[in-house]
Amino acid sequence: MASRISGTWQRLTEHGSQKLRKAAPKKGWRPEMGDQEEDYSALPLTDRFGHKVWKVRKQAYEDAAKEFEKTPDESDPAFKPFLQDSGLWKGAVADSNVAAQQEGINSLCSFLKYGGTQACTRTRGVAVTPIVEKGLSSTRAATKAGSLEALLLFIELDKPDPIIEDLLPNLSHKQPKIIAATLSALTSIFHAYGTKTVDPKPVLKALTKVFGHADKNVRAESQSLAVELYRWLREAMKPMFWADLKPVQQQDLEALFEKVKQEPSPKQERLLRSQEAAKAKSSASGPKELEEAEDEEEEDGVVVDAFDLAEPQDVMSKVPEDLHDQLGSTKWKDRKDALDALYAIINVPRIKDGHFDEIVRALAKSMKDANIAVVTVAANCVDVLAKGLRHGFGKYRSIVMAPMMERLKEKKQSVADAIGQALDSVFASTSLADCLEETIEFLKHKNPQVKLESLRFLIRCLKTTREAPSKAETKSIADAATKLLTESTEVTRSGGAEILGTLMKIMGERQMNPYLDGLDDIRKTKIKEYFDAAEVKAKDKPKPAAPPPKAAAAPATQKKKMFGQKAAAASATKKPPPPFVPPNEDSPASAPLHSKPTSRSIPSKLGAPRSGLAAPTGGLKLQKKLGGPSGVSAPSPKRPVQTPTSDDEEAARAPKLGLGGRGLAGRPLGKPAAASVAPEPASALVSPGLGPAERAELEALRADKDRLLRTNDDLRTEKSKLNSQIHELQNQNAQLIEDHTRDVLSIKAKETQLVRARTDAEVAEQTCQRQQKEIDRLKRELGRAIRSSSPAPSDHSDRIYRDLGPNGGGRPDNNSEQASRQGSRPPMSRAISSFSSPSEEKENGGPDSMQRGKLSPPRSISTGGKAASAITSREQSTDRAAEPNANGDGAEIWRRAAEVTSQLKARIEQMKARQGLKS
């Protein structure tokens, strides 16, 4: 064994030395003990990228990354070799040596980071698949992180669709670790960029097959990806794959989704380069636009539904041809079945656009159906059709909207809810301007139920619309709502106040003030409450008025120059008096004079500066620019060094217009002095006459003002939050009261049912007693009937029954004993026993018992004289003669008794059945 190992080691040593001799250069190389490895740094980077020695490749990757970091821009020549030969990166990211592979992936990340979009588009086709197969599935954490970063950079530099297309085929890979690594990468991509940037539809389609994979790691990663998609899509993702999962998988996912539901809406963590450029452009245009863009982004949030994810389906081919015939049937059940079948066909997430005119007309006609079940199903059909077509349903709005609103007169809440849901879907497919006119007309409807449901629909429209109404539409809505405030019912008045409050939330308080002037304080307070509690998606954004002032700036300047020339001509004859100099030096005190209109022609001459005061951020600069020409034309010798301003012009002009030496500029400014803090940032226009202390005080006052404004805004925000909480608590209180009332009514209903059940039980008991009495009476009647048809026992009380033996012999002792026993029975029992059934007779004596019933004379008579024997013989002959009639009457009586007995049994069974049902 030792010799074999030594021989193997010798062969390996010889083989290694041969390889080293082949790899060593022929010139200048001496294999001495202290010699170092050859330096390959002189080779080009592209050659070193493909070198057979892994250390050379590793060093080349590191040098390339450092060189990319030093480049000034994307057009640097350092990127050119790698752009021309993008296959170099395929070998770098899939290097056979794990240490070199890690540096190769880092070098690719540096190349993408500094090379820009061109570097991304040239290399992603050859680099993505090796990254997934060799990088994401690596055992090194740094290699995994670098591979994921490279994929994210590929998406960031251009767009995500090509990367997703390259990743999805790996979900069918034969190695489970590749599938799990791909799922993990997709989860990270959606977590970083969100579903608004990355299209989730291809991933959702491929998600079903990985849920049934045999490897547990693959199933775990698929669940993580599903949870990440649920964070963005919520319930909208379920129609895409939920039906293909097993019930156990659905339960597991539902348990994971419950944890995510409590989390806030996710936000995009990384931006594409195009998104960063757009954001930088909006921030450069102004802070207002940036804030508006951020607000819109926050309001939009993650608005993804099943319509956005689903593929359009052709439903017209599935609609039955005899639909209209079935809808015209005289039986409401047939009409409802036809609409149910239509609902099942068109109830899909997204419907392919087509010609639905006839179907919509049929649904509008069904809204007038006399049966409310048909109306409800028709409203559901309109709902799903509008949701499936979205904006394509807008052209059918005029056909179906009026019949639906007319049918709102139904008092049954389920019908009203179905029609209201259909109206909301119709509005979502159109706009507020399309539906407004028709809705306002129904606010004047004579039916109060139609009026109430119409105003509720209008409130929902105002809360969900994303476009603010125009001035004409605002006026029509406000006028209609103001008329509703005078209605007799409180619900309608509250609805009118809510319409005005919601409209005020959209348009702003200032635009709604003209419509609230004539209202009393109570109604204004109610409207204000609804205004504070309203949540709307549209905000009135006034059109920017910047371009018109720029166009009108030149005429204003010309007017000002002309006015300055007139002032200069007047100053040539009369010099400005000295008292006007100090007020001009105190610019904060004289500044408020610009905001107040002066007499006659002064406001018109100063039109441009006054428009500037309306917008403090740009108006003061405009004043400074327009103050130059007039200041240059002013000939005052006392102000040669001062910067000419509009205040100087106004102070110099005022006495020349006949205001005298005691004009507006010469009056004490005690009241407006408090407004000296009011001017907006006008530090550039502060008069140089102010000292450092005054300037510091002015800046302190401005800072205090800003602080107070911020505090005021915070207090307003806090107030709005508290009002919202109060409104929410009021709603909760109302809901609790309603629930309590409902519970009390339910308890009372149950008590009423209990009392009614007790009453029914008592009635049933009384009925049973009456039936029992009736049974006793019938038994008595039966006994009387039997006694009347049988021989009277009193006539033969001295006789006894005698059993005749087979030979006619008798046993007096037994007969007398039997007679005494029968004599002791009650008459009823004797009568019944005398007419016993043949089976009983057979059991009691057989054929011999049939001879019973004949009477034998007593011993005294049989042993008596001739008279007694004669009487006995006559009676016996009479009995024999009457025996056939008695036998015939006995059979008839037996038949009647059997009928009465069967009737009694049937009645008893019926009574028992009724008592069993009631109990």
Side-chain angles (χ1 to χ4, degrees):
M1 186 70 179
S3 61
R4 186 180 301 174
I5 292 174
S6 62
T8 305
W9 175 253
Q10 185 176 2
R11 286 195 299 273
L12 289 174
T13 307
E14 291 176 356
H15 181 68
S17 61
Q18 288 176 3
K19 291 183 69 177
L20 288 174
R21 283 196 296 271
K22 290 180 181 179
K26 294 181 180 179
K27 295 181 181 180
W29 181 77
R30 295 179 181 177
E32 296 179 357
M33 184 65 68
D35 233 0
Q36 296 183 358
E37 296 181 359
E38 185 178 355
D39 186 11
Y40 295 97
S41 59
L43 295 175
L45 279 175
T46 54
D47 295 343
R48 285 191 284 162
F49 263 52
H51 203 276
K52 58 185 176 181
V53 179
W54 68 269
K55 290 185 179 180
V56 178
R57 298 195 302 271
K58 180 176 179 294
Q59 188 63 37
Y61 301 151
E62 295 175 356
D63 295 343
K66 293 177 182 178
E67 189 173 347
F68 295 149
E69 292 176 1
K70 296 177 182 179
T71 55
D73 53 20
E74 300 173 1
S75 60
D76 193 270
F79 299 107
K80 189 174 181 180
F82 300 95
L83 292 174
Q84 292 175 349
D85 188 8
S86 56
L88 295 172
W89 296 112
K90 182 178 181 181
V93 298
D95 200 297
S96 58
N97 186 276
V98 290
Q101 181 192 12
Q102 179 178 338
E103 296 300 331
I105 292 174
N106 293 338
S107 177
L108 176 61
C109 293
S110 180
F111 175 72
L112 294 174
K113 185 176 180 181
Y114 298 102
T117 306
Q118 190 176 6
C120 166
T121 55
R122 291 287 186 90
T123 57
R124 66 187 174 195
V126 296
V128 172
T129 302
I131 286 175
V132 175
E133 294 180 350
K134 299 292 184 181
L136 292 176
S137 59
S138 176
T139 55
R140 289 196 169 197
T143 304
K144 284 185 178 180
S147 302
L148 181 59
E149 180 64 22
L151 292 177
L152 295 177
L153 284 172
F154 276 125
I155 294 175
E156 178 183 331
L157 291 170
D158 187 28
K159 54 184 179 181
D161 296 341
I163 307 302
I164 300 299
E165 291 176 2
D166 291 340
L167 288 176
L168 289 179
N170 292 291
L171 295 179
S172 303
H173 203 278
K174 60 182 179 181
Q175 296 184 18
K177 66 175 183 178
I178 304 297
I179 302 176
T182 305
L183 291 171
S184 178
L186 289 172
T187 305
S188 301
I189 289 171
F190 281 109
H191 185 80
Y193 294 105
T195 55
K196 193 174 182 180
T197 303
V198 184
D199 187 13
K201 287 192 287 186
V203 180
L204 287 172
K205 291 179 181 178
L207 195 59
T208 307
K209 60 181 181 181
V210 295
F211 270 106
H213 200 276
D215 189 77
K216 63 178 183 179
N217 295 327
V218 174
R219 295 196 301 270
E221 291 294 340
S222 63
Q223 287 185 349
S224 300
L225 178 57
V227 171
E228 181 61 34
L229 289 172
Y230 188 82
R231 290 178 63 241
W232 297 89
L233 303 176
R234 299 296 178 181
E235 298 296 326
M237 63 179 283
K238 287 187 176 181
M240 296 289 293
F241 72 101
W242 196 255
D244 299 330
L245 299 179
K246 297 178 181 178
V248 178
Q249 295 172 341
Q250 292 179 358
Q251 292 176 2
D252 294 342
L253 287 177
E254 284 291 354
L256 295 174
F257 291 165
E258 286 296 329
K259 301 176 183 178
V260 180
K261 288 179 181 179
Q262 308 299 329
E263 298 179 2
S265 299
K267 294 183 180 180
Q268 186 174 344
E269 296 181 357
R270 293 182 64 156
L271 299 176
L272 304 180
R273 290 288 175 89
S274 56
Q275 294 174 344
E276 290 178 356
K279 187 175 182 180
K281 185 178 179 181
S282 61
S283 62
S285 59
K288 278 190 176 179
E289 281 123 18
L290 181 60
E291 290 178 2
E292 289 175 0
E294 291 177 353
D295 292 342
E296 287 179 359
E297 186 176 354
E298 289 178 0
E299 288 177 1
D300 292 343
V302 185
V303 186
V304 181
D305 55 6
F307 182 86
D308 300 323
L309 301 175
E311 294 293 333
Q313 299 184 22
D314 184 15
V315 298
M316 284 297 296
S317 59
K318 303 177 184 178
V319 177
E321 297 179 357
D322 59 343
L323 174 66
H324 299 284
D325 297 337
Q326 294 178 4
L327 291 178
S329 175
T330 56
K331 298 181 179 179
W332 71 269
K333 186 67 175 175
D334 295 342
R335 299 195 298 272
K336 182 178 180 298
D337 291 342
L339 290 174
D340 286 333
L342 178 63
Y343 179 83
I345 293 171
I346 63 178
N347 187 18
V348 294
R350 192 169 185 174
I351 299 175
K352 185 179 180 180
D353 200 4
H355 300 287
F356 295 92
D357 305 75
E358 297 298 329
I359 294 178
V360 174
R361 288 192 182 94
L363 293 175
K365 185 178 179 181
S366 298
M367 289 295 165
K368 302 176 183 178
D369 200 287
N371 191 279
I372 59 174
V374 177
V375 175
T376 304
V377 181
N380 294 335
C381 291
V382 174
D383 179 26
V384 296
L385 188 61
K387 288 179 178 178
L389 289 173
R390 287 290 172 92
H391 297 294
F393 190 82
K395 54 189 174 184
Y396 309 119
R397 181 202 59 81
S398 58
I399 301 175
V400 75
M401 186 171 176
M404 284 197 299
M405 298 191 74
E406 188 69 38
R407 199 54 195 255
L408 288 171
K409 62 185 178 183
E410 287 293 337
K411 294 184 179 179
K412 193 170 183 180
Q413 193 60 36
S414 60
V415 182
D417 292 342
I419 297 176
Q421 181 66 29
L423 286 172
D424 292 344
S425 300
V426 171
F427 172 74
S429 64
T430 56
S431 63
L432 181 64
D434 296 334
C435 304
L436 184 60
E437 183 178 357
E438 208 159 359
T439 306
I440 290 178
E441 287 298 323
F442 276 92
L443 289 178
K444 306 172 186 176
H445 203 276
K446 60 182 179 181
N447 191 315
Q449 185 70 18
V450 174
K451 186 184 298 184
L452 178 61
E453 295 296 334
S454 299
L455 72 87
R456 288 175 178 171
F457 170 61
L458 180 57
I459 292 170
R460 295 196 300 270
C461 293
L462 291 175
K463 289 182 177 180
T464 56
T465 183
R466 293 187 176 274
E467 297 179 0
S470 61
K471 291 185 178 180
E473 294 169 351
T474 302
K475 185 178 184 305
S476 60
I477 296 172
D479 293 342
T482 306
K483 291 179 182 178
L484 293 175
L485 294 176
T486 60
E487 289 287 334
S488 58
T489 58
E490 196 277 333
V491 180
T492 309
R493 294 196 301 271
S494 299
E498 188 172 359
I499 290 175
L500 290 173
T502 309
L503 188 61
M504 186 189 295
K505 193 77 171 184
I506 298 174
M507 306 304 297
E509 298 183 48
R510 183 177 179 183
Q511 294 194 29
M512 290 298 295
N513 283 335
Y515 306 107
L516 306 181
D517 286 342
L519 302 179
D520 54 17
D521 294 338
I522 298 176
R523 290 172 179 169
K524 286 183 180 179
T525 304
K526 191 75 171 177
I527 294 170
K528 185 66 175 175
E529 291 177 0
Y530 284 114
F531 165 74
D532 294 333
E535 295 181 0
V536 297
K537 297 181 179 179
K539 293 290 184 181
D540 183 41
K541 298 175 182 178
K543 296 180 180 179
K550 287 182 180 179
T557 308
Q558 291 176 1
K559 289 181 181 180
K560 199 160 187 182
K561 287 181 179 178
M562 292 174 64
F563 189 79
Q565 291 173 1
K566 292 179 181 179
S571 64
T573 58
K574 185 178 180 181
K575 295 182 179 180
F580 295 107
V581 177
N584 286 330
E585 293 176 356
D586 190 8
S587 62
S590 60
L593 294 177
H594 295 283
S595 61
K596 296 183 179 180
T598 56
S599 61
R600 287 194 290 269
S601 61
I602 294 177
S604 63
K605 300 294 182 180
L606 299 177
R610 192 174 64 230
S611 66
L613 288 174
T617 57
L620 293 173
K621 295 180 181 179
L622 185 61
Q623 288 179 4
K624 186 176 180 182
K625 291 178 181 178
L626 297 179
S630 60
V632 172
S633 62
S636 178
K638 297 185 178 180
R639 291 172 293 173
V641 186
Q642 285 185 351
T643 303
T645 60
S646 59
D647 296 338
D648 302 333
E649 292 174 5
E650 189 174 350
R653 258 184 243 120
K656 295 181 181 63
L657 293 173
L659 295 175
R662 299 297 295 173
L664 289 175
R667 294 179 184 177
L669 300 176
K671 292 182 180 179
S676 60
V677 188
E680 296 292 332
S683 59
L685 297 178
V686 177
S687 175
L690 290 177
E694 295 173 347
R695 288 172 185 266
E697 184 179 0
L698 182 60
E699 293 298 332
L701 290 174
R702 286 174 180 164
D704 291 341
K705 179 193 171 184
D706 294 338
R707 181 176 54 77
L708 290 174
L709 289 175
R710 287 194 298 270
T711 305
N712 192 14
D713 293 338
D714 295 340
L715 291 175
R716 285 182 180 177
T717 306
E718 187 68 22
K719 179 183 176 183
S720 63
K721 290 181 181 178
L722 292 175
N723 287 333
S724 302
Q725 293 177 2
I726 290 171
H727 186 69
E728 184 178 356
L729 291 174
Q730 288 176 349
N731 291 337
Q732 293 178 0
N733 188 22
Q735 184 66 31
L736 291 174
I737 292 173
E738 184 178 355
D739 294 342
H740 176 69
T741 306
R742 191 184 300 112
D743 294 340
V744 170
L745 292 176
S746 176
I747 292 171
K748 289 184 178 179
K750 296 294 183 184
E751 290 178 352
T752 305
Q753 292 177 1
L754 182 60
V755 171
R756 193 173 299 168
R758 288 176 179 172
T759 305
D760 293 342
E762 292 175 357
V763 171
E765 188 176 356
Q766 293 175 2
T767 304
C768 290
Q769 293 176 358
R770 287 198 302 271
Q771 295 294 338
Q772 188 65 35
K773 291 179 181 179
E774 182 69 17
I775 290 172
D776 296 340
R777 186 183 64 79
L778 289 173
K779 285 182 178 179
R780 289 194 297 272
E781 289 181 359
L782 179 61
R784 284 197 295 270
I786 292 173
R787 285 197 301 273
S788 62
S789 59
S790 62
S794 58
D795 296 338
H796 307 283
S797 59
D798 55 347
R799 298 183 183 184
I800 58 174
Y801 287 97
R802 178 165 51 92
D803 293 334
L804 298 177
N807 299 323
R811 288 178 283 183
D813 296 333
N814 295 336
N815 289 337
S816 62
E817 185 178 357
Q818 184 177 0
S820 64
R821 285 199 303 269
Q822 290 184 358
S824 63
R825 296 178 185 175
M828 186 72 181
S829 61
R830 287 199 306 270
I832 292 175
S833 64
S834 64
F835 294 98
S836 59
S837 61
S839 61
E840 292 176 354
E841 292 173 352
K842 188 175 180 180
E843 290 177 359
N844 295 329
D848 297 335
S849 63
M850 297 295 291
Q851 298 179 3
R852 289 190 297 172
K854 294 182 180 181
L855 302 175
S856 58
R859 297 175 186 176
S860 59
I861 296 176
S862 60
T863 57
K866 296 180 179 179
S869 60
I871 292 170
T872 304
S873 62
R874 282 198 305 270
E875 289 178 353
Q876 289 177 354
S877 62
T878 304
D879 292 338
R880 291 189 189 97
E883 187 174 358
N885 296 332
N887 292 334
D889 293 337
E892 180 67 21
I893 291 169
W894 165 248
R895 185 180 62 78
R896 288 177 57 193
E899 290 178 356
V900 171
T901 305
S902 63
Q903 291 177 1
L904 288 174
K905 289 182 179 179
R907 287 189 180 182
I908 291 170
E909 293 297 330
Q910 291 177 0
M911 289 170 56
K912 288 181 179 180
R914 283 199 299 270
Q915 290 179 359
L917 289 176
K918 290 182 180 180
S919 61

